Amino acid sequence: MTRLPDDDPATVPPPDGKAVETVIVPRARDIGGFEVRRALPAIERRMVGPFVFFDEMGPATLAAGSGLDVRPHPHIGLATVTWLTDGEILHRDTLGSIQPIRPGELNWMTAGRGIAHSERSPEAARRAPQHVGGLQAWVALPKKHEETAPSFKHYGADALPVISADGARAVLIAGQGWGATSPVAVFSDTIYAEVTLEAGATLPIGAEHEERAIYVLNGPVRIAGDAFEAGRLLILRPGDAITISSDSGARFMVLGGETMDGPRHLWWNFVSSSKERIEQAKADWQEGRFGKVVDDTEFIPLPEQ
């Protein structure tokens, strides 16, 4: 555990107080009693750094005998980032990976040229009511890495840097921030962190990353005198070093990094700089060329055009 640097320039507020450039209210949808709120992509903003997709899942309580069941489905051109706040999920993929994930742990799957996976509640967890919640993010890969070999990596809670000072605690999930570096292999400049503030605590957010946003899980938080409630994605103005505070305590995610090298096309679970590559991925999934997810016989069919 490391401490925040005492002379961090982010403690200086922006001159005009307009630190938040855009506020995005996620679109909510119900998937069988489990609410999902999608913050990215949005009309107001398609990406923040390499983050091209950002969902908050739940939190929800699932009845005994039921569970979360995301059947096998494919990805290209991105890395999926699963971060839980409640519960447990079992990941399986076409590389043969079988890995449970719990709060504080990280599943990072690089799809590259193509991978398929499923995410389900483990059988043991279904025997009693279970609380499930978390965040699912997609990180777009730079053009030169879009066709990289697929891979999967799990990181235990003890592998991720923790930065703390005076009631503020940040877990650095990926990238760099507050003088620390995550062990997670990324393909471009990135910051992704979970932050908890006790009542009255503050946290500086530096200006070293080109694009940055805050997703408020529990709030409210205060930035340059303005308060923002939970369930909001706050796009921060580039180049401003800011300080986030909370009068009553808060929990939020920090995400961003360098601007992506051009726009990305999204169709279903595919992300690419090329529309033609997405068409190829559609055909590959229909023809079964992604391979089989280990110990999982189901799959999600390609959506109708």
Side-chain angles (χ1 to χ4, degrees), residues 127-167:
R127 296 170 189 161
Q130 55 178 312
H131 302 285
V132 180
L135 299 148
Q136 184 74 59
W138 295 354
V139 175
L141 302 180
K143 292 177 182 178
K144 64 182 179 181
H145 296 296
E146 283 185 304
E147 297 298 316
T148 194
S151 63
F152 174 82
K153 182 72 173 179
H154 174 82
Y155 297 85
D158 58 353
L160 303 176
V162 176
I163 303 97
S164 67
D166 302 325

Side-chain angles (χ1 to χ4, degrees), residues 1 33 48 54 117 142 155 197 209 224 237 239 241 259 263 270 281 284 292 301:
M1 181 179 291
V48 178
F54 194 87
H117 73 135
Y155 297 85
L197 296 182
H209 300 287
R237 189 172 63 181
T259 303
F270 304 136
D284 289 343
K292 297 292 184 182

Side-chain angles (χ1 to χ4, degrees), residues 256-278:
E258 67 181 288
T259 303
M260 188 49 58
D261 56 354
R264 289 299 185 270
H265 304 286
L266 277 73
W267 190 90
W268 193 35
N269 301 307
F270 304 136
V271 172
S272 179
S273 60
S274 163
K275 290 183 178 180
E276 291 75 19
R277 183 64 182 90
I278 288 179

Side-chain angles (χ1 to χ4, degrees), residues 5-13 202-205 241-243:
D6 295 332
D7 58 349
D8 196 303
T11 56
V12 179
T202 63
L203 181 79
I205 305 291
I242 67 163
T243 295

Side-chain angles (χ1 to χ4, degrees), residues 83-99:
W83 182 258
L84 295 185
T85 55
D86 296 279
E88 180 179 348
I89 292 176
L90 184 64
H91 165 99
R92 296 184 178 95
D93 62 38
T94 48
L95 299 176
S97 312
I98 302 176
Q99 177 63 56

Side-chain angles (χ1 to χ4, degrees), residues 216-289:
V216 186
L217 292 166
N218 305 108
V221 299
R222 190 172 294 277
I223 302 174
D226 296 321
F228 301 93
E229 61 184 286
R232 300 292 184 269
L233 182 69
L234 313 177
I235 309 298
L236 304 181
R237 189 172 63 181
D240 280 343
I242 67 163
T243 295
I244 300 181
S245 64
S246 177
D247 298 332
S248 56
R251 189 180 190 186
F252 56 90
M253 309 299 293
V254 181
L255 59 142
E258 67 181 288
T259 303
M260 188 49 58
D261 56 354
R264 289 299 185 270
H265 304 286
L266 277 73
W267 190 90
W268 193 35
N269 301 307
F270 304 136
V271 172
S272 179
S273 60
S274 163
K275 290 183 178 180
E276 291 75 19
R277 183 64 182 90
I278 288 179
E279 292 302 316
Q280 180 61 55
K282 292 180 186 180
D284 289 343
W285 184 243
Q286 282 187 312
E287 298 299 323
R289 290 192 285 265

